[in-house]
Amino acid sequence: MAAMTATINVMLAIHGKKTTPIDLYKPLRHYIAQHYSEREAQDAEEDLQAVQHMRTDIERASDALEARRDLLQQYFRALSVMESRFPISNEKEHVNTLYFTWYDAFKPGKKATQQNIHFEKAAIAFNLGAVQSQIALAADRSSPNGLKQACNSFQFAAGAFSFLRDNISMKASGSSSTVDISVECAGMLERLMLAQAQECFYEKVLVDNKPSSLCSKVAKQVGLYYEEAYAALILPPLNQHFDRTWIAHVQLKAAQFHAEACYRVALQLHDQENVAEEIARLKAAGNMLSEAKKSGKGVVGPLLDAVSKLEANINRNLDRAVKENDRVYLMRIPPVESLPSLPAASLVKSAAVGELLDASKEKMFAGLVPDSSAKALSKYTEMLDEVIRVQAEKLQQESEIARVKLREMNLPDSLLSLEGSTSLPEHIRDEVEAVQIDGGPAGFEAEMRQLKDLRRVNEELLVQTEEILEEEAREDAQVRTQFGTRWTRPQSSTLTKSLHDRANGFAANLKQAAESDARIGRTIRDNAPLMAILNARPIEASLPTLGRPILSLNQNEDAIVGTLRQKLAELEMLGSERAGLEDMLKDMKRKAANDAFATTFNLQEYLASRERAYKQISAAISKYREIRENINEGLKFYTTLQDAVNNLKQQCGDYVMTRNIQSHEMIEDLQRQITGMSINDSGAPGRPYTSAAHPPQRPAPSAPPNFQRHGASTFHQTSPQAPPGTHAQYSQSNPPASHSISSTPQILSQTQHQQTSSSAYTVGQPAPAPQQSNPYFSTPGQNFLRPPYYAQQGVAPQASQTHDYSQPPYPGWQGSYYNASSAGQAEPQNPPYFAPDGYSNSSQSGYHKQ
């Protein structure tokens, strides 16, 4: 096995068969001298030397690949000429001292020796295909010319293996042959070479930036070719002959290109805005790769890297498509099994190498006319070929019928069950293993606790957010009561309506989510008996077994079982030897031994119970996956909602802080007014809440106020350079806050100025009656930001149009699990939200499935 280095795709080349040195010259010259004449032997001297020289060069295998390819083609044509002139066998009158020995290409420790020129031709044809594959692999596929050379060479390799299968393998087969030149192996290698030739075309369409639809069709055909090669590798006689890494490689490549086809067609579907099928195709592709990677042990690193890269691209596009569908399209995702098969486009075929190997124009040994024995042998060979062909077709037909009959008789499964060795169908066993690796039904309890904990955290965050807003509203109401009409700031209830609406929306979502969680819990409890079977380890322990009859009349059960076992053993032995199989197959079709077995052991009842167990396991797996998907969506929802609630809480905190700062400035301004009225006895009413757009001017203070936050709503303001004189003192404490500020002026005793150390505000002696000023914004020279919650005086504050975090409880909460109307409740009228953080979602389909 070899891996290319110029591109990311990994391909295989076939190693050639090895041989032992032989002397062709002496046996062939002796035959010519004996059956023709010494003169003709001398005339053929040059051709005999040429044949020996070609055989010696093949034994060394030291030439460049192209030269070795030409040598193999030339020697094959020479063998075809020799076939009709030199009968090689163990017969006395034939060339009976010539033995051809070749080693198996895939198991070099095994060798075979035959006195059969077809055995030699089969080995040469095999090596021709192997050399063509090596030429293809050596080509630089990063360049257009190299890619073309690789593609052509793989097709010629496929043609060589096809020629071997159709014309030579049956003639060279026998007890002393090797598996690598068998019909099964030659057919598998043809499919493998075609897969790699098609893969070269796939690389080309990618480089040429062809449309995704064409890329998908080409990739699909690559996967089909690899799939055909894999199907041959897992059947006798190849399944016990090839190394496991070969099988894993071909299996993973088949999955890679089936997934690649889905990935490419998903790109086209995305451009067409068919997001539902796009998601289904991407899910199918991901499932293919994850299943194939489980059997990828021993696969070369570059192939695993290419598969992992494709898997990452698929998952990235899948996440994007799911988010787009949840936010915009709201399409129902079709089941993967309901999708039609993707179309394929084959751009390669096995090259016709028969013309290259045709010996009709060869001049070698032209002076030797075959004698009667040679002619008879040639005729016999033709008749033998026809008989072999007919019998092979008949044998193949009978073998297929026998396999069907064995399946109908549930053999050898019924015998294995009698021994306690029951087994599941492979696809069910793989699904059970995936469920058990995932934690199985026993893991639901911990995940339901996690859902509960996440919901509790979100509820606590909402409570804290409401408390922040309520505390600010209480403080605003208290100050408004104390100052009356002088307190011209908008009420908290006016400004916080949108924040309360969002919090209420989240609360409604959490209520719906809690109901959905409860439904999940009920589903788990209701289906616990069904899914309990998935906890059995091994899963086969949960299957029924075939037992002996309780009451036996003639005590012949062991004899019946022994007879059936003997029949199966004979069938297996004869199948491997390919001799006498037809009669055995006909005998098996009569089913006499199996009928007795089925009657004695009540086989039909066992089969019915086994089928029920299979259905229970499949239903349990289906329900497990449904619950698992619901739980995963719930975890995702709570995590996403927690970010949104934290965002809301932070905005509420910022709002309260801004309101507190504004409140303190307004108190300061009102205090100046009250002090000024007391001195001037003006009795002027408090100033209105003036427009932020046209703030009046006031003298700049010697230094900006210094606010320090204590707790949620207590601030200290100090006036570091206040002159001694009359001081007005006001206090504000933490909730329950009671502002000790009178609505009428109070003149306090003169004291030396000192900074306050409690929750109070001390303001210096007032200046002469100031000009009317904006109570909330800094004078020139102060860097105080404009609060975001106010507009012009007399204009009602507007709720933000870009921050509405109210959302459905789970993505798509009005589906089968989150449909308020189905529960007898009115659906909450949440305002639409299209912010970029992804909390808006579908109202068409829920993430839970019934």
Side-chain angles (χ1 to χ4, degrees):
M1 183 184 299
M4 51 78 62
T5 57
T7 62
I8 62 170
N9 289 338
V10 180
M11 296 186 182
L12 302 179
I14 311 302
H15 294 296
K17 292 171 67 67
K18 304 297 182 182
T19 186
T20 58
I22 60 172
D23 182 7
L24 290 175
Y25 175 82
K26 291 181 179 179
L28 295 181
R29 193 183 191 288
H30 176 75
Y31 181 84
I32 296 173
Q34 184 177 0
H35 289 81
Y36 293 92
S37 65
E38 179 62 28
R39 183 182 60 80
E40 289 175 306
Q42 293 176 359
D43 292 342
E45 187 75 20
E46 183 178 349
D47 293 337
L48 290 172
Q49 293 287 353
V51 169
Q52 181 63 56
H53 181 70
M54 285 188 284
R55 187 53 161 81
T56 302
D57 289 344
I58 287 175
E59 293 165 5
R60 288 199 299 263
S62 58
D63 297 331
L65 293 176
E66 288 77 6
R68 185 166 176 78
R69 174 198 61 197
D70 297 340
L71 173 63
L72 290 168
Q73 293 174 358
Q74 183 181 6
Y75 182 59
F76 187 93
R77 291 193 294 268
L79 290 175
S80 298
V81 171
M82 293 164 53
E83 180 182 353
S84 62
R85 291 168 171 81
F86 301 102
I88 301 173
S89 72
N90 58 358
E91 296 291 331
K92 182 179 179 180
E93 298 298 322
H94 294 171
V95 182
N96 55 14
T97 60
L98 193 57
Y99 294 86
F100 299 104
T101 300
W102 288 90
Y103 291 87
D104 194 293
F106 305 106
K107 288 190 177 295
K110 294 185 177 182
K111 67 178 181 179
T113 300
Q114 292 188 26
Q115 289 180 292
N116 182 358
I117 198 170
H118 295 294
F119 184 61
E120 179 86 348
K121 292 176 69 176
I124 297 303
F126 180 95
N127 279 2
L128 179 60
V131 168
Q132 291 283 18
S133 73
Q134 295 167 22
I135 294 174
L137 199 68
D140 179 12
R141 301 206 309 276
S142 62
S143 67
N145 290 335
L147 189 61
K148 181 178 180 180
Q149 179 187 9
C151 184
N152 290 336
S153 296
F154 278 131
Q155 292 181 80
F156 273 105
F161 291 121
S162 175
F163 184 86
L164 169 62
R165 179 197 62 203
D166 296 338
N167 298 280
I168 313 174
S169 288
M170 292 299 297
K171 301 175 183 179
S173 62
S175 58
S176 60
S177 184
T178 53
V179 175
D180 55 354
I181 60 172
S182 65
V183 172
E184 295 84 356
C185 188
M188 182 277 294
L189 292 175
E190 180 199 16
R191 297 289 99 182
L192 178 60
M193 294 300 106
L194 287 176
Q196 298 186 153
Q198 181 84 5
E199 192 171 348
C200 292
F201 265 107
Y202 180 72
E203 293 175 2
K204 177 174 174 56
V205 296
L206 287 186
V207 171
D208 294 344
N209 292 320
K210 296 298 183 181
S212 298
S213 58
L214 177 59
C215 294
S216 173
K217 293 178 181 179
V218 177
K220 180 65 175 180
Q221 187 60 54
V222 177
L224 291 176
Y225 280 138
Y226 275 118
E227 189 175 324
E228 291 172 359
Y230 173 70
L233 280 169
I234 61 176
L235 293 176
L238 305 185
N239 60 340
Q240 300 298 326
H241 190 73
F242 279 83
D243 185 79
R244 178 60 192 169
T245 56
W246 271 83
I247 300 176
H249 174 93
V250 175
Q251 181 184 13
L252 188 56
K253 291 284 280 190
Q256 175 190 1
F257 279 93
H258 281 307
E260 189 79 47
C262 291
Y263 172 69
R264 294 294 167 180
V265 82
L267 296 178
Q268 179 188 14
L269 293 169
H270 184 79
D271 294 339
Q272 297 171 353
E273 297 187 355
N274 188 351
V275 179
E277 186 176 349
E278 176 192 5
I279 294 174
R281 293 291 183 187
L282 291 173
K283 285 183 177 180
N287 293 338
M288 293 175 193
L289 293 182
S290 61
E291 289 297 322
K293 287 174 70 176
K294 295 177 183 178
S295 304
K297 185 177 180 181
V299 175
V300 294
L303 176 56
L304 288 177
D305 294 341
V307 170
S308 298
K309 182 178 179 181
L310 173 61
E311 188 174 28
N313 291 338
I314 289 171
N315 291 335
R316 183 185 65 249
N317 285 9
L318 178 59
D319 291 342
R320 178 197 63 189
V322 169
K323 290 179 181 177
E324 291 180 355
N325 189 51
D326 289 343
R327 297 177 182 176
V328 181
Y329 297 102
L330 312 178
M331 293 183 178
R332 178 183 174 275
I333 310 303
V336 173
E337 56 273 11
S338 68
L339 298 176
S341 298
L342 293 178
S346 178
L347 304 179
V348 298
K349 64 179 181 179
S350 300
V353 301
E355 296 179 1
L356 297 174
L357 303 179
D358 182 20
S360 60
K361 298 181 180 180
E362 288 290 323
K363 302 300 183 182
M364 186 175 290
F365 300 114
L368 298 179
V369 178
D371 59 4
S372 58
S373 62
K375 294 179 180 179
L377 178 62
S378 177
K379 183 64 175 178
Y380 169 77
T381 302
E382 293 176 2
M383 294 173 61
L384 179 62
D385 291 345
E386 180 65 19
V387 171
I388 290 175
R389 185 187 63 79
V390 173
Q391 293 300 320
E393 292 178 354
K394 191 173 184 180
L395 181 62
Q396 183 178 3
Q397 181 181 2
E398 294 294 336
S399 298
E400 184 62 30
I401 295 174
R403 282 194 290 268
V404 173
K405 292 297 183 181
L406 287 176
R407 285 196 297 268
E408 292 177 355
M409 292 185 286
N410 289 282
L411 291 174
D413 292 344
S414 56
L415 284 176
L416 293 175
S417 178
L418 186 63
E419 298 170 353
S421 301
T422 55
S423 62
L424 278 172
E426 185 175 354
H427 70 282
I428 298 181
R429 185 174 63 254
D430 292 342
E431 291 179 348
V432 172
E433 288 178 358
V435 168
Q436 292 180 343
I437 292 173
D438 192 44
F444 285 154
E445 181 178 356
E447 294 181 350
M448 290 302 294
R449 287 197 302 269
Q450 187 178 2
L451 280 179
K452 182 178 180 181
D453 291 341
L454 287 172
R455 186 174 69 250
R456 177 182 53 79
V457 169
N458 280 281
E459 290 170 348
E460 291 174 354
L461 287 173
L462 277 179
V463 170
Q464 295 169 9
T465 302
E466 290 285 357
E467 289 176 349
I468 291 173
L469 297 177
E470 291 172 1
E471 180 181 0
E472 190 277 333
R474 285 196 301 269
E475 294 177 358
D476 181 72
Q478 290 170 356
V479 178
R480 188 176 305 279
T481 301
Q482 293 172 359
F483 283 96
T485 58
R486 292 188 181 90
W487 196 259
T488 58
R489 187 175 68 163
Q491 293 184 1
S492 295
S493 60
T494 303
L495 301 177
T496 61
K497 183 180 184 302
S498 63
L499 297 177
H500 279 295
D501 288 343
R502 285 154 57 190
N504 292 336
F506 287 144
N509 295 344
L510 283 173
K511 180 180 179 182
Q512 293 283 344
E515 295 174 357
S516 179
D517 294 344
R519 280 192 287 273
I520 296 175
R522 288 194 298 272
T523 302
I524 294 174
R525 291 191 298 273
D526 294 344
N527 293 276
L530 171 66
M531 295 187 294
I533 196 172
L534 299 178
N535 292 322
R537 293 177 184 269
I539 188 62
E540 286 79 7
S542 63
L543 296 178
T545 58
L546 184 63
R548 293 178 176 272
I550 299 176
L551 180 63
S552 176
L553 298 178
N554 49 16
Q555 302 295 326
N556 64 341
E557 295 87 356
D558 292 338
I560 293 174
V561 172
T563 301
L564 187 57
R565 282 203 181 101
Q566 182 181 1
K567 290 290 185 181
L568 289 176
E570 291 174 0
L571 179 62
E572 183 177 357
M573 180 181 65
L574 293 173
S576 62
E577 294 179 355
R578 291 182 176 273
L581 181 59
E582 183 177 347
D583 293 338
M584 184 64 184
L585 293 174
K586 291 180 178 179
D587 182 59
M588 285 302 300
K589 285 191 292 183
R590 288 193 287 268
K591 299 194 297 183
N594 189 69
D595 289 343
F597 176 81
T599 302
T600 302
F601 290 91
N602 196 6
L603 186 60
Q604 292 302 319
E605 182 178 346
Y606 159 73
L607 295 177
S609 61
R610 187 184 68 175
E611 188 63 28
R612 288 194 297 271
Y614 288 169
K615 291 181 179 179
Q616 180 184 356
I617 293 174
S618 298
I621 291 172
S622 177
K623 183 57 66 175
Y624 173 88
R625 287 178 173 171
E626 176 186 332
I627 295 173
R628 163 65 62 193
E629 183 177 353
N630 292 340
I631 290 177
N632 288 342
E633 289 294 337
L635 294 172
K636 177 182 177 182
F637 161 73
Y638 283 123
T639 303
T640 305
L641 181 63
Q642 185 172 339
D643 293 339
V645 176
N646 274 321
N647 189 312
L648 175 61
K649 181 181 177 183
Q650 180 63 41
Q651 290 187 4
C652 292
D654 294 343
Y655 160 77
V656 170
M657 180 180 291
T658 303
R659 291 275 288 180
N660 284 335
I661 294 173
Q662 294 167 350
S663 175
H664 301 325
E665 281 204 344
M666 191 170 183
I667 291 173
E668 176 188 358
D669 190 68
L670 289 174
Q671 177 58 36
R672 290 195 187 99
Q673 296 179 37
I674 294 171
T675 305
M677 286 192 307
S678 178
I679 295 175
N680 297 317
D681 197 22
S682 62
R687 287 171 296 173
Y689 181 75
T690 57
S691 170
H694 304 285
Q697 300 297 319
R698 65 175 178 181
S702 56
N706 179 21
F707 291 102
Q708 300 175 351
R709 182 169 183 175
H710 294 268
S713 60
T714 303
F715 290 76
H716 290 170
Q717 177 192 18
T718 60
S719 183
Q721 298 180 357
T726 303
H727 290 67
Q729 185 175 12
Y730 305 89
S731 66
Q732 178 188 20
S733 61
N734 279 323
S738 176
H739 297 274
S740 57
I741 304 177
S742 173
S743 60
T744 59
Q746 294 183 8
I747 307 299
L748 305 180
S749 61
Q750 294 184 354
T751 61
Q752 292 294 98
H753 171 72
Q754 57 182 354
Q755 293 184 348
T756 62
S757 59
S758 62
S759 177
Y761 304 87
T762 303
V763 185
Q765 182 177 5
Q771 297 178 357
Q772 202 166 22
S773 62
N774 184 355
Y776 300 106
F777 305 104
S778 61
T779 58
Q782 286 186 289
N783 294 323
F784 191 81
L785 296 176
R786 173 178 176 177
Y789 298 100
Y790 304 100
Q792 295 184 1
Q793 182 179 5
V795 179
Q798 299 296 320
S800 172
Q801 297 301 315
T802 60
H803 295 286
D804 187 354
Y805 291 86
S806 181
Q807 63 164 14
Y810 285 20
W813 66 273
Q814 291 184 1
S816 57
Y817 264 77
Y818 287 94
N819 191 328
S821 60
S822 65
Q825 301 177 2
E827 298 183 4
Q829 299 299 320
N830 294 329
Y833 173 64
F834 301 100
D837 49 1
Y839 301 120
S840 68
N841 222 311
S842 164
S843 60
Q844 301 299 319
S845 62
Y847 78 83
H848 287 297
K849 298 178 180 177
Q850 295 287 5

